[in-house]
Amino acid sequence: MRAVISSIEERLDAPTAKGLAQAVSRAIRDATLVPGDQLPPIRRVAEELMMSPTTVSAAWQLLARSGTIRSDGRRGTTVAPTARGGERYARALRHESPVSLDLSTGIPDSALLPPLVPVLSALTDPTTPSSYLDDPVLDELRDVLTRDWPYAADDLLVVDGAMDALDLVTRALLRPGDLVLVENPGFPPLLDLLEDRGVAVVGVPLDETGLDLDAVEALLPRRPAAVVIQPRGQNPTGVSMSPTRARRLAALLEGRDCIVIEDDSSGPISTSAATSLGRWVPDQVLHIRSFSKSHGPDLRIAAMSGPDALLAPVRHARAIGQGWTSRLLQRVLAGLLRDEGCARGIASAGAEYARRRELVVGRLAEHGIEVPGTDGLNIWVPVRDEAAAVLRLASQGIGVTPGSPFSVEHVAGPEGHIRVTTGLVRENHAEVADLIAEAASAGAWTAQHR
């Protein structure tokens, strides 16, 4: 036990609950502590480290909420098994058999992406700039991005897609045991990432205009370190936050030690106006806009704004890793954003995605199935039996995603949801909707006749 306490003491930067939780997390990361190792009783830790038992208990609570440690019966408190990263995302994309119409992916329709050849042909000198010392963000891209940014941002950082931005932000600004509020249902890769960071994740329900403000207000006494939202075309529900909801949420969070991380993953293909809490609380907001769904997933580009106090540690984390996003790709995106024909094509793609969504949603409504949201590539369909719905559609050649990986907290029972990427339904919308409606009630007969 003394060796365990020594390993924690060596990594203890501050005699606080958070400092102690971080020291334990570092010992686990360094493999000094491994899954299954027993931690000393709280009183002994307090005596050895000259801390109060209350502080140690609070640290243990932080670690337990993040899944880092757990109570293990007679063995006392032990280091929890290491979670497998990406588990939710892998479950969301898993197929038991091949399908002819895959509506499980959440990706854009390749036929609606802008052509790259005209822009690439216009790059007369694609090899420059080529210095390691050039500005990480091209001036030409910064200029075009700031023209329609949802608020007057201090500065912009260009990164390799939205998940790269979220990875950098959570690595630089969050610590094990921090409380983070997220939308429920949420995006599986984000939930995987937050769980890997060792933070405590709490889901907040959505209504038709965004986060439930009463639920947020009830959680504020727990001093959340961050709130993560998708302001428009939320994945999986398609809900877009209204300006009124954004203003009221900003008023709730104003002046608190809580950052707001906005992931505008739908970006330019969204039919909703760009919205950000940065209009009201710019010092607390990091706004991320992805161009993967609008201009091409393989461009791997997103832009992020925020105050220097928040962007500086993110820049540092990037400087010691990736460094910068390819300036060649930045020039391609800048060219696409400046091209009037491309802009018309993106607007047309957004309208087409909205049309496809509405055709499926309207048909489902005829079957008495209501789905939330109005925007984005996906719909969130309530079903009687989640597994049965997925299997039934798979047997008919249609792949959809089970809803459980999107849930922050698993709810026991068969009822649930499926996520359907309507953005990939090019034709036969009524027929596809009819099959989804039939699958939504799959399992009902079995349940009634057991």
Side-chain angles (χ1 to χ4, degrees):
M1 287 295 182
R2 178 57 197 167
V4 171
I5 294 176
S6 295
S7 68
I8 297 172
E9 187 175 20
E10 291 170 2
R11 294 164 176 81
L12 185 63
D13 293 333
T16 62
K18 185 178 289 188
L20 180 55
Q22 291 171 357
V24 173
S25 296
R26 293 186 189 109
I28 294 170
R29 187 174 61 237
D30 296 341
T32 302
L33 292 176
V34 298
D37 280 354
Q38 186 176 11
L39 297 177
I42 288 175
R43 287 196 174 278
R44 180 167 177 185
V45 175
E47 291 172 1
E48 295 282 354
L49 299 182
M50 292 185 290
M51 301 171 68
S52 75
T54 302
T55 300
V56 177
S57 177
W60 264 221
Q61 289 175 25
L62 289 174
L63 292 164
R65 285 203 300 267
S66 69
T68 305
I69 63 174
R70 68 184 183 186
S71 177
D72 199 8
R74 293 183 178 180
R75 295 194 62 201
T77 302
T78 60
V79 177
T82 303
R84 292 182 297 166
E87 183 179 349
R88 289 175 182 268
Y89 194 43
R91 282 193 291 127
L93 298 180
R94 185 179 300 141
H95 287 311
E96 300 300 329
S97 59
V99 293
S100 56
L101 179 60
D102 193 353
L103 306 182
S104 71
T105 61
I107 63 174
D109 185 344
S110 59
L112 297 179
L113 296 173
L116 297 181
V117 172
V119 173
L120 292 173
S121 301
L123 297 178
T124 56
D125 187 10
T127 61
T128 59
S130 58
S131 171
Y132 288 98
L133 303 178
D134 288 324
D135 191 326
V137 181
L138 290 185
D139 287 338
E140 58 185 296
L141 180 57
R142 181 185 284 109
D143 291 344
V144 71
L145 287 173
T146 54
R147 291 175 192 170
D148 68 342
W149 208 251
Y151 68 102
D154 291 346
D155 199 6
L156 293 173
L157 179 64
V158 174
V159 294
D160 299 341
M163 284 308 300
D164 182 41
L166 292 168
D167 176 63
L168 288 165
V169 169
T170 56
R171 176 151 45 97
L173 300 175
L174 298 180
R175 297 293 178 265
D178 281 347
L179 178 67
V180 177
L181 308 186
V182 300
E183 299 157 329
N184 190 27
F187 188 42
L190 169 66
L191 300 178
D192 283 336
L193 177 65
L194 292 173
E195 289 173 359
D196 187 64
R197 291 285 180 263
V199 302
V201 180
V202 175
V204 177
L206 295 160
D207 61 26
E208 286 293 338
T209 57
L211 281 183
D212 183 323
L213 295 181
D214 290 338
V216 173
E217 188 170 16
L219 288 164
L220 291 180
R222 294 175 58 181
R223 301 177 64 184
V227 177
V228 187
I229 57 176
Q230 298 175 68
R232 54 181 176 171
Q234 196 262 356
N235 187 355
T237 65
V239 167
S240 290
M241 182 173 58
S242 70
T244 299
R245 182 62 55 87
R247 176 176 52 79
R248 292 178 61 196
L249 179 58
L252 278 179
L253 300 176
E254 186 174 9
R256 297 180 179 272
D257 188 16
C258 178
I259 61 174
V260 181
I261 304 168
E262 298 175 338
D263 176 16
D264 184 13
S265 59
S266 292
I269 61 164
S270 178
T271 54
S272 305
T275 303
S276 172
L277 272 68
R279 289 179 54 189
W280 300 279
V281 286
D283 291 342
Q284 294 173 241
V285 173
L286 288 165
H287 184 82
I288 303 162
R289 177 179 292 177
S290 171
F291 295 91
S292 294
K293 291 182 175 64
S294 56
H295 293 74
D298 205 40
L299 281 177
R300 307 307 301 149
I301 288 187
M304 175 167 52
S305 67
D308 186 64
L310 297 180
L311 279 185
V314 176
R315 284 197 182 94
H316 175 71
R318 192 137 210 265
I320 60 178
Q322 179 75 358
W324 70 89
T325 294
S326 165
R327 298 183 185 95
L328 175 57
L329 293 179
Q330 291 189 52
R331 292 183 68 189
V332 172
L333 179 59
L336 290 170
L337 292 174
R338 288 197 304 261
D339 185 88
E340 293 183 2
C342 176
R344 289 192 296 271
I346 297 298
S348 177
E352 175 61 14
Y353 287 130
R355 185 186 76 88
R356 296 176 183 182
R357 187 185 203 280
E358 183 54 38
L359 286 172
V360 176
V361 168
R363 185 70 169 191
L364 288 175
E366 294 177 17
H367 289 279
I369 299 174
E370 300 293 332
V371 301
T374 58
D375 206 350
L377 301 179
N378 309 290
I379 60 172
W380 187 238
V381 183
V383 297
R384 185 181 297 273
D385 188 315
E386 192 171 287
V390 172
L391 287 173
R392 182 182 180 93
L393 287 168
S395 71
Q396 296 165 328
I398 300 176
V400 297
T401 313
S404 52
F406 297 81
S407 176
V408 177
E409 298 174 357
H410 177 70
V411 178
E415 288 191 9
H417 292 79
I418 55 174
R419 188 196 69 172
V420 183
T421 305
T422 54
L424 295 176
V425 185
R426 296 176 178 176
E427 57 188 4
N428 302 322
H429 302 86
E431 291 86 343
V432 171
D434 289 343
L435 292 174
I436 293 171
E438 292 172 4
S441 60
W445 190 92
T446 302
Q448 292 168 0
H449 292 80
R450 282 174 182 167

